[in-house]
Amino acid sequence: ARVAKVREELLRDGTNTARIFLAGNAAPAQGFLLKQPDLAATLESIAQHGRDGFYGGRVAASLVKGVQAAGGVWTKADLAGYRIVERPPVRFNYRGATIVSAALPSSGGVTLAQVLNILEQYKVNDVREPATAHLVVEALRRGFQDRLRYLGDSDFVKVPVGQLIAKSYAHSRAATIDPNFATRSEEH
């Protein structure tokens, strides 16, 4: 209920989101019972028909119709021809914890690994403290710089994942952070 209230305008303006997540076009009260019959029907279709229950039939037709209505170019043939490629997840350690995150082509796992590896070089306290917030922002800036520079779909481009998530690389990136000054945006 709290999240819906914070995002009420977005939910109201989204495609079908008001119908699904709002009560009378307003954020629901605590205790609201959220029902998603379309999602239930999709899950039942997958349970009954496997892959074809999603990439074909009624579900696929509905997806294609929605994408095309929003200006997209999906076709039923696109979904029918889609093949899932399983890739090993990104794994790294941060302060003694093993983190497992999304594989390429998602950039999230590699960027998260890089940012946390940079932050591991510092004593990170409460992020509301200016010095800590500064370190987090600078680590994020470096992670997103490399995301734009190196990451893509590894089926089409060579991505140096091992280098980007290496502790030694994070150490060299952390060394470029000035604890007293923000890095100029032009440098990124």
Side-chain angles (χ1 to χ4, degrees):
R2 273 192 311 270
V3 171
K5 186 65 179 169
V6 169
R7 299 288 187 212
E8 188 173 26
E9 186 176 333
L10 291 171
L11 291 171
R12 197 176 292 119
D13 294 341
T15 304
N16 290 321
T17 53
R19 178 179 60 82
I20 297 168
F21 297 106
L22 299 179
N25 213 32
Q30 187 173 352
F32 173 78
L33 179 60
L34 175 64
K35 295 180 182 180
Q36 293 181 276
D38 292 340
L39 175 59
T42 298
L43 295 174
E44 286 177 3
S45 179
I46 294 167
Q48 292 174 3
H49 306 289
R51 180 190 189 289
D52 292 338
F54 185 82
Y55 293 103
R58 180 194 60 75
V59 174
S62 178
L63 289 169
V64 168
K65 181 180 176 184
V67 167
Q68 289 180 352
V73 296
W74 280 9
T75 67
K76 289 180 185 177
D78 291 331
L79 287 179
Y82 181 75
R83 296 295 175 255
I84 295 170
V85 176
E86 291 190 38
R87 295 179 174 93
V90 174
R91 293 178 187 271
F92 63 99
N93 292 306
Y94 175 71
R95 300 186 193 270
T98 299
I99 310 289
V100 180
S101 191
L104 293 172
S106 168
S107 61
V110 172
T111 304
L112 177 65
Q114 185 177 6
V115 170
L116 290 178
N117 285 341
I118 290 170
L119 290 174
E120 195 171 42
Q121 309 297 312
Y122 299 94
K123 182 178 179 187
V124 179
N125 296 317
D126 186 341
V127 294
R128 293 171 293 186
E129 294 176 6
T132 302
H134 171 73
L135 292 173
V136 170
V137 168
E138 291 295 317
L140 286 165
R141 292 176 89 182
R142 282 149 181 81
F144 280 96
Q145 178 189 30
D146 284 350
R147 174 181 175 258
L148 291 171
R149 182 179 289 153
Y150 298 113
L151 298 185
D153 187 337
S154 58
D155 286 348
F156 301 97
V157 296
K158 184 175 167 110
V159 181
V161 174
Q163 174 193 337
L164 293 170
I165 67 171
K167 300 288 186 182
S168 57
Y169 184 67
H171 185 76
S172 69
R173 295 296 273 155
T176 68
I177 296 174
D178 185 328
N180 299 308
F181 294 98
T183 306
R184 294 173 49 91
S185 293
E186 300 84 48
E187 294 177 32
H188 288 289

